Amino acid sequence: MELYNTSVRKKVKFTPLKGNRVRLYTCGPTVYDVAHIGNFRAFVFEDFLKRVLTLVGYDVTHIMNITDVDDKTIQRSMDRKIPIAELTETYTQRFFQDLDRLKVIPADGYPRATDHVKDMQEIIQQLLDKEHAYISNDGSIYFAIDSYKEYGQLAQLDLSGQKSSERMADDDYTKENPQDFALWKSWKPEDGDVYWESPWGKGRPGWHIECSAMSMKYLGHHFDIHCGGVDNMFPHHENEIAQSVCATGKPFVNVWLHNEHLLVDGGKMSKSLGNFYTVEDLLNHGFTSEALRYILLSTHYRTKVNFSLEKKHEAIKAVQRVQSFWDRLNEFEVSDGEMLPDESEAFINSLSNDLDAPGALGIAFDYIRKMNNRIDQKEITQAEITMAINFMKQINHAFDFLSLNIEVPSEVTNLAQLREDARKAKDWTKSDALRDQLKELGWEVRDTPSGPKCHLIDL
Ligand code: AMP
Ligand code: ZN
């Protein structure tokens, strides 16, 4: 498999650092407002990456953080005069609901920044000890970018003309303005009751240190893949690298993947510009979950997508073509077997080529057209039906365009409930045994933030 690694600006052969398991970190939402469909381009792309990795045979451990304290969340809670925890909890739950509506497979963990301030303080202390950071007059702590000679490599900044660094207290700033950035912000009256005690007095973490702390805590110092939208490349990811590498003295991320933006009328869809649609808006406009997935996935992740409501018709038609072919296949007697058509190899090869979704979908739609003709002509064979079913399962594993609405049998829900009870009682042997029993019936339970959900394996 080849992936385009932003740090070297080219496609590289991908091999996990340890065995067959891919450790993946993706920057999560800043929960000060509802995430929009532009944000979901990033999250659905990351879900797609995970689906492709598992389709080609890897196991994946996926961590996505929730940014529940930063400049924006504090400002919004002040504006609305509500406690920050109340604001962020509302939008966190809304985020999980939207992920579910878009059929995104839950991550293995959604750590919240506010639960990890101690971990951040430890990294900051290491950076102070190693003189990569300094305490300013107001008690805030800054990372000294000239103490790390690789600074700017990810974003390809030319810092040769830069003499001494200015300081930047804000979480976000532009590439034209690289500066020493805040690791720890000392308490100011505008922060209200949002602060933590620290060896350096009351304060709160900067945004960038949050992702260094949570990614390394759950995935180790050096892990496989880190994703985010292109806007996160600088300063956020550049700063994450500087903090992590300087604190641990070890490499941080093996492959950086960045998705391009979703645009509206040629400009970036963003919360601050107010030009956004939420998932709920679009479902109310008559888009289906599958049609939204089609819009978000049918353009290559490194190409900009221009979103408009006019895309609805084409997207619904495309996913219906997949659905009606699937329904048609299921009218036949289906026999067991693992055979696949030649197109399957080409499909997987496209996906393995830096997730070439448009190429893979081209293969899938040509195949559907060809097989529909064979059904029309009454030429299709039993073996072809079996192969088509298997290939459609692969396509769906990656894209999830089929709306299956399968009823969960009561036997499965009962076993899932017993497993949940065993997990609550920390009886891992029993919960594993129940998981295996479910697996034998062809079902798996995914632990989503809104509780366990039953899914048919492979679909
Ligand atoms: P935020 O909640 O602003 O921290 O963003 C969450 C994720 O969405 C990050 O990976 C961003 O890079 C990404 N993102 C934000 N706006 C867009 C957009 N218009 N198109 C694609 N990705 C975006
Ligand atoms: Zn991040």
Side-chain angles (χ1 to χ4, degrees):
M1 183 160 185
E2 289 203 326
L3 294 172
Y4 185 90
N5 186 353
T6 312
S7 27
V8 288
R9 301 291 195 279
K10 63 177 184 219
K11 285 189 213 172
V12 290
K13 186 173 178 315
F14 175 71
T15 322
L17 291 163
K18 260 197 227 158
N20 198 48
R21 182 158 293 276
V22 180
R23 286 166 293 156
L24 167 70
Y25 184 84
T26 59
C27 284
T30 309
V31 282
Y32 73 109
D33 205 336
V34 184
H36 55 67
I37 193 75
N39 299 126
F40 281 105
R41 178 171 197 205
F43 306 132
V44 169
F45 152 66
E46 292 153 358
D47 176 54
F48 180 62
L49 164 68
K50 193 161 79 175
R51 286 163 175 270
V52 172
L53 287 167
T54 53
L55 183 63
V56 301
Y58 293 119
D59 298 319
V60 179
T61 303
H62 174 205
I63 298 295
M64 176 185 283
N65 73 298
I66 303 287
T67 300
D68 61 352
V69 59
D70 76 326
D71 297 346
K72 290 189 273 195
T73 41
I74 294 177
Q75 184 62 49
R76 185 62 57 91
S77 78
M78 293 293 169
D79 293 349
R80 296 215 186 142
K81 299 189 175 51
I82 54 170
I84 185 169
E86 188 183 319
L87 175 91
T88 56
E89 191 53 28
T90 304
Y91 291 119
T92 304
Q93 291 313 323
R94 178 63 190 275
F95 172 66
F96 290 145
Q97 194 185 7
D98 285 346
L99 282 183
D100 197 43
R101 284 160 155 165
L102 288 178
K103 305 169 91 172
V104 169
I105 297 174
D108 298 283
Y110 291 100
R112 287 162 164 84
T114 51
D115 291 333
H116 295 80
V117 176
K118 265 240 128 12
D119 301 287
M120 299 169 205
Q121 290 177 348
E122 277 167 25
I123 299 177
I124 295 170
Q125 189 60 58
Q126 285 167 339
L127 292 170
L128 283 168
D129 292 346
K130 295 185 179 178
E131 296 183 358
H132 285 292
Y134 58 91
I135 306 181
S136 71
N137 291 339
D138 75 345
S140 295
I141 302 178
Y142 286 86
F143 184 92
I145 60 172
D146 59 8
S147 75
Y148 176 48
K149 66 176 189 327
E150 318 280 325
Y151 190 84
Q153 209 171 60
L154 181 72
Q156 298 193 336
L157 307 181
D158 178 10
L159 297 173
S160 53
Q162 183 127 346
K163 291 241 161 43
S164 68
S165 295
E166 300 273 308
R167 283 200 291 268
M168 170 55 74
D170 294 347
D171 282 334
D172 219 353
Y173 49 96
T174 63
K175 204 166 152 174
E176 286 65 49
N177 212 11
Q179 301 182 37
D180 288 357
F181 58 90
L183 298 166
W184 185 257
K185 305 186 186 194
S186 67
W187 182 84
K188 287 185 208 61
E190 306 89 275
D191 295 339
D193 59 0
V194 183
Y195 63 83
W196 284 262
E197 296 295 344
S198 82
W200 323 290
K202 286 194 317 192
R204 63 179 170 101
W207 170 38
H208 316 295
I209 196 75
E210 298 182 2
C211 282
S212 284
M214 289 182 276
S215 60
M216 292 197 290
K217 174 162 183 149
Y218 294 101
L219 298 173
H221 293 146
H222 189 196
F223 56 91
D224 297 287
I225 306 179
H226 192 315
C227 297
V230 280
D231 54 316
N232 277 171
M233 193 194 308
F234 189 87
H236 187 49
H237 293 162
E238 191 72 58
N239 292 353
E240 268 188 59
I241 297 172
Q243 298 160 154
S244 309
V245 172
C246 292
T248 66
K250 297 186 184 120
F252 177 44
V253 167
N254 204 20
V255 180
W256 284 93
L257 298 188
H258 291 99
N259 64 277
E260 251 303 344
H261 281 145
L262 180 121
L263 313 176
V264 210
D265 303 325
K268 180 190 164 199
M269 182 179 281
S270 82
K271 288 175 207 165
S272 49
L273 296 175
N275 59 353
F276 63 87
Y277 292 106
T278 65
V279 173
E280 190 166 85
D281 291 338
L282 296 173
L283 293 176
N284 288 339
H285 269 289
F287 286 81
T288 59
S289 302
E290 290 78 17
L292 288 174
R293 288 186 68 85
Y294 179 84
I295 291 172
L296 296 174
L297 291 174
S298 54
T299 304
H300 191 262
Y301 76 94
R302 286 189 288 115
T303 306
K304 293 183 173 67
V305 173
N306 211 347
F307 182 80
S308 79
L309 295 178
E310 275 89 73
K311 295 214 162 173
K312 182 171 81 180
H313 184 65
E314 184 207 326
I316 287 184
K317 230 171 77 185
V319 293
Q320 270 177 356
R321 232 183 303 157
V322 182
Q323 183 74 47
S324 51
F325 178 56
W326 174 253
D327 292 343
R328 234 180 149 187
L329 283 174
N330 280 285
E331 285 165 13
F332 291 89
E333 186 113 348
V334 181
S335 48
D336 286 344
E338 291 179 358
M339 300 176 287
L340 284 159
D342 293 344
E343 282 85 351
S344 158
E345 196 182 329
F347 176 81
I348 304 253
N349 285 344
S350 277
L351 295 178
S352 303
N353 174 17
D354 192 31
L355 308 165
D356 179 6
L361 285 176
I363 293 163
F365 282 114
D366 283 349
Y367 174 78
I368 290 173
R369 194 172 311 117
K370 183 175 100 180
M371 297 319 283
N372 268 328
N373 276 337
R374 293 196 46 79
I375 297 177
D376 293 342
Q377 305 301 320
K378 303 201 171 18
E379 286 169 358
I380 194 155
T381 64
Q382 188 61 46
E384 280 175 326
I385 291 165
T386 307
M387 288 196 279
I389 294 262
N390 292 339
F391 185 29
M392 291 302 286
K393 286 183 181 176
Q394 285 190 325
I395 295 169
N396 212 49
H397 182 112
F399 290 97
D400 215 336
F401 289 161
L402 291 174
S403 157
L404 294 161
N405 292 329
I406 290 172
E407 244 181 73
V408 187
S410 57
E411 186 187 3
V412 170
T413 32
N414 291 343
L415 286 173
Q417 187 55 52
L418 289 175
R419 176 176 169 269
E420 186 57 14
D421 296 344
R423 278 164 58 86
K424 283 210 179 110
K426 296 199 169 19
D427 185 346
W428 308 120
T429 323
K430 188 167 174 195
S431 85
D432 284 352
L434 285 159
R435 189 198 50 209
D436 292 344
Q437 228 176 314
L438 282 161
K439 203 167 166 188
E440 266 171 39
L441 296 171
W443 290 80
E444 69 178 351
V445 182
R446 291 182 192 154
D447 298 302
T448 79
S450 48
K453 292 230 161 103
C454 300
H455 288 263
L456 259 184
I457 291 170
D458 265 338
L459 280 174

